[in-house]
Amino acid sequence: SQTIHQWPATLVQPVGSPLSLECTVEGTSNPNLYWYRQAAGRGLQLLFYSVGIGQISSEVPQNLSASRPQDRQFILSSKKLLLSDSGFYLCAWIFPGGHNEQFFGPGTRLTVL
Amino acid sequence: AQSVTQLGSHVSVSEGALVLLRCNYSSSVPPYLFWYVQYPNQGLQLLLKYTSAATLVKGINGFEAEFKKSETSFHLTKPSAHMSDAAEYFCAVTGDNYGQNFVFGPGTRLSVLP
């Protein structure tokens, strides 16, 4: 069976500090991978998606970047965090090539102070 | 392109009452539709999905949804609400084979009153 991991689960960072959130999928190969953000009381905002190693599409220009160094690893980064980067970050994956559902990780709660 | 609207950002029902969460979609191709549930500080969990096999789809936890093409709707229902159903519910649509256009609605928060 497939599982998706995210870490850390919670993170408190000062403004201006760097960020690295990691997402790893097990039990599948060549998934499409996604990063979403939920601000407090808001819906899902798609940040990045990837269809393969080194292939990143950005949906919203902002203070964040993403990388996919391995097939089942997706990393969300920032060089300098802003207060507005606070939120709940969700990673998701999907089997490519079909009308399939997205599977979500447990999320990372980021608070920027 | 696809889009999703969910009428009512917050719905309250009494325990044991009917749950009805509304979802309308827009799609230029035959849609595939999904309902997800999110409990506080957790990821999203799939409740059910429509992939053209049957218009009435049954999911987990007693939920079901009916695809109505003429109304471009995919409303979620449950005959009798339980306290544990209190959560955020998201409707989503995709219309392609690569998952690149997976669009979520804004969500509806369901409260269940004792």
Side-chain angles (χ1 to χ4, degrees):
Chain A
S1 64
Q2 300 84 21
T3 56
I4 178 169
H5 304 280
Q6 288 185 246
W7 61 89
T10 61
L11 190 60
V12 180
Q13 292 284 92
V15 169
S17 65
L19 173 73
S20 181
L21 303 182
E22 189 166 342
C23 170
T24 301
V25 180
E26 297 179 354
T28 187
S29 59
N30 197 32
N32 289 352
L33 295 170
Y34 304 80
W35 277 113
Y36 291 91
R37 177 171 62 197
Q38 277 184 301
R42 303 287 296 276
L44 292 163
Q45 179 186 29
L46 178 63
L47 301 176
F48 303 94
Y49 71 88
S50 171
V51 298
I53 295 174
Q55 301 179 61
I56 308 295
S57 295
S58 175
E59 291 296 305
V60 182
Q62 53 200 316
N63 188 42
L64 302 170
S65 62
S67 62
R68 186 170 176 175
Q70 301 180 40
D71 180 45
R72 290 169 289 178
Q73 184 185 33
F74 204 23
I75 297 172
L76 184 69
S77 304
S78 175
K79 292 182 179 179
K80 289 185 177 182
L81 283 168
L82 306 173
L83 287 174
S84 58
D85 291 324
S86 293
F88 193 53
Y89 288 81
L90 289 161
C91 181
W93 72 275
I94 192 171
F95 284 114
H99 300 98
N100 299 305
E101 64 269 32
Q102 289 193 356
F103 298 94
F104 283 81
T108 295
R109 173 72 61 189
L110 172 65
T111 302
V112 182
L113 301 176
Chain B
Q2 292 81 38
S3 66
V4 177
T5 57
Q6 292 182 240
L7 185 61
S9 60
H10 189 193
V11 171
S12 293
V13 300
S14 298
E15 191 173 19
L18 171 71
V19 175
L20 171 60
L21 303 181
R22 299 180 186 275
C23 171
N24 288 88
Y25 69 91
S26 173
S27 179
S28 56
V29 297
Y32 292 79
L33 296 151
F34 309 83
W35 274 101
Y36 286 83
V37 60
Q38 185 183 29
Y39 300 101
N41 292 311
Q42 295 186 24
L44 277 68
Q45 178 185 5
L46 183 72
L47 277 177
L48 49 82
K49 64 179 180 180
Y50 166 75
T51 56
S52 77
T55 57
L56 183 61
V57 181
K58 294 186 182 298
I60 62 172
N61 301 341
F63 284 94
E64 63 181 35
E66 186 173 9
F67 172 70
K68 291 186 176 180
K69 183 177 180 180
S70 61
E71 299 178 6
T72 61
S73 68
F74 190 57
H75 302 331
L76 182 70
T77 61
K78 182 175 180 177
S80 177
H82 191 272
M83 297 297 288
S84 61
D85 295 326
E88 188 92 17
Y89 291 81
F90 293 92
C91 182
V93 63
T94 188
D96 65 29
N97 288 324
Y98 302 100
Q100 296 176 17
N101 292 313
F102 206 100
V103 178
F104 284 88
T108 297
R109 181 187 303 176
L110 175 66
S111 297
V112 181
L113 308 174

